[in-house]
Amino acid sequence: MDRLAALRGTTPPRPHDARAIAALAANPGCTRRALMDGAGIDKSSTARHLGFAPPFGQSPFAIARSNAFEAQVRGSLAELLGSVLGLADVAYEDLRGACPPSAHDQDDPPTLYDHPGLTLPIAGESTALEPSVPVLSYGGRCHVVVVKSFAVIDGQADPAAVAAAARQGAVYALALQACDLRVADDMVLVCPENFANRPVATLVDVRRQLAVLRRQLGRMASLDSLAATLPPEVTFDLRPDASGEPTRPAADLAADLGHAPARYAPECLSTCDLCYFCRDEARQAGASDQLGRPVRDALGGVATVGEALALADGTLDPAPGQEEIARLLREAARLRTECLT
Ligand code: SF4
C-alpha cells in the first residue's frame, strides 16, 4: 500500500460509498481510475483543480422527487414485494445496521430486512456501506431491493439508468455474499410506473455486474503492482493548504496523471468525475477511444482516428496484423464515396 499512499500524498483519503464502488464496474479496463480509487483519491476535487469540473450533481427537484418516491414506497414495500413476487405475508424487520441473519431455509417465511449493516473489502480495507438498501429473504436466498425514481413507461425504462441501478445492487449483493448469505442472481428493482407514482417491482439479473465487480475489486487488491509500473516520482497529490485548497500547479498534476493509462469511452461521461479531463486528453491524442467502445473494438489495434483515416484512404500501409481492418476501412471509404457522389 506504500506506493498507493504515496500517490495520494498529503491529500486526505476519500471513503468509498456504494455509488462509487458501483461505478468501478463501469470501466474495469481503466488503470487510471483503478489506481485513483484504490488510493482513495478524490477524483472530483482532482478534476476541478485541473479545470475540468465533473458534470454530476442531481437537481434539487430530482433529489426531492427521489426522496418523496422512496418515502412513499418504503411504507408499503413488504406488501408490494409480496404481491409482485406472489409471496404471502412478508414479515418486516428493521436491522438498524446489523448484519442479516445468515441461516435461511427454503421454508423460512419471507422477510424484508431493512437497514442492514454491510461491509465490503476494498483494496485491503473493510469498507462499511451505508445501511440504505433493504434485503428480501425468501426461498432460502436473499434479494437486494433497489428503489429508484426513474419511470418505467410501457414496461421499458432507460437502459443506462437500469444498468447503473444493477451495478449498485451488485455492490450490496457482493457484501451480502461476504456475510456468508446465499444471494439470488437477480435483484428487485422498484420504480414508478408510467407517469403516475404507482410503484412497480421487476427482477433484474445482476450476474454480469457481479462478475465485473468481483474482477475489479480483485484487481484493486493487487494495485500495488500496477502502481509500481509508474515512474517513482509520479504522484496525484493535490498538496492542499491548511484550508484544504489544492496548491499544486495543475499542469504538473496533469502531466503525472498522464503516466497512468486511461481507457476513455463516452460512457465515462455518466460514471466518472474525471470524464472531461480524459475526453480532452483522448481528443488531443486523436484516440479512437472517443468514438465509443463498439468502434474501438471494431478497429481493434488502430489507436487513433488519423491512423484509421490514413488506412482507409490508402496513404498508410497496414502494419502486420492490420491487413484485414485496413481492407474493411478501404471498403467502407469506397462505399461512403459512392453514396456521396
Ligand atoms: S473518465 Fe478517465 S479515469 Fe475515469 S474511467 Fe474514464 S478513462 Fe478512466
Side-chain angles (χ1 to χ4, degrees):
M1 288 292 145
D2 288 355
R3 185 67 186 103
L4 283 182
L7 279 183
R8 194 180 67 247
T10 55
T11 316
R14 185 193 163 102
H16 294 93
D17 58 22
R19 193 179 286 263
I21 299 165
L24 287 176
N27 192 356
C30 180
T31 298
R32 180 177 296 168
R33 174 169 192 148
L35 284 172
M36 294 186 83
D37 284 334
I41 292 169
D42 184 342
K43 296 193 298 302
S44 174
S45 297
T46 305
R48 273 198 301 278
H49 187 54
L50 290 164
F52 292 93
F56 309 122
Q58 272 184 301
S59 75
F61 173 74
I63 292 171
R65 176 179 145 78
S66 166
N67 289 346
F69 180 68
E70 178 150 1
Q72 175 202 337
V73 167
R74 279 299 181 107
S76 56
L77 196 52
E79 295 83 16
L80 171 74
L81 297 176
S83 68
V84 170
L85 301 170
L87 305 170
D89 300 329
V90 178
Y92 176 90
E93 189 177 333
D94 191 337
L95 293 173
R96 297 172 194 275
C99 217
S102 55
H104 285 278
D105 285 335
Q106 180 81 18
D107 304 327
D108 282 348
T111 305
L112 182 68
Y113 294 108
D114 212 352
H115 306 116
L118 300 170
T119 57
L120 202 57
I122 314 250
E125 307 251 339
S126 175
T127 302
L129 307 178
E130 67 270 45
S132 61
V133 165
V135 173
L136 177 68
S137 167
Y138 74 94
R141 292 180 307 161
C142 290
H143 292 72
V144 172
V145 182
V146 174
V147 179
K148 292 285 172 191
S149 61
F150 58 80
V152 177
I153 298 168
D154 293 335
Q156 301 287 322
D158 173 7
V162 175
R167 286 197 295 269
Q168 219 172 322
V171 172
Y172 287 96
L174 209 56
L176 283 168
Q177 285 177 350
C179 283
D180 281 340
L181 289 158
R182 283 187 63 211
V183 184
D185 289 335
D186 40 27
M187 68 172 203
V188 185
L189 177 62
V190 181
C191 296
E193 189 174 31
N194 296 331
F195 297 102
N197 249 6
R198 202 168 68 83
V200 62
T202 325
L203 289 174
V204 176
D205 192 327
V206 294
R207 271 176 297 185
R208 196 178 64 79
Q209 288 81 0
L210 266 172
V212 174
L213 198 58
R214 251 190 233 112
R215 214 169 44 237
Q216 186 68 343
L217 292 181
R219 189 168 177 243
M220 286 180 76
S222 58
L223 280 181
D224 261 339
S225 52
L226 214 53
T229 62
L230 300 179
E233 68 283 2
V234 164
T235 172
F236 306 148
D237 193 355
L238 297 177
R239 298 191 195 122
D241 61 17
S243 65
E245 277 304 304
T247 64
R248 184 171 181 195
D252 186 34
L253 175 63
D256 271 4
L257 272 176
H259 286 282
R263 204 159 185 221
Y264 177 77
E267 291 83 350
C268 293
L269 292 171
S270 58
T271 54
C272 184
D273 289 318
L274 274 180
C275 56
Y276 287 160
F277 173 77
C278 295
R279 183 177 66 176
D280 187 66
E281 184 186 58
R283 275 182 183 161
Q284 287 193 32
S288 52
D289 290 358
Q290 59 187 309
L291 303 175
R293 282 182 198 142
V295 177
R296 181 184 65 197
D297 293 347
L299 285 174
V302 179
T304 67
V305 176
E307 195 183 345
L309 291 174
L311 286 170
D313 66 17
T315 53
L316 178 70
D317 289 332
Q322 284 186 334
E323 296 83 359
E324 179 59 12
I325 186 65
R327 188 186 65 74
L328 291 170
L329 285 166
R330 278 199 300 273
E331 183 62 11
R334 188 186 65 75
L335 288 172
R336 180 175 181 274
T337 311
E338 238 175 62
C339 290
L340 292 177
T341 52

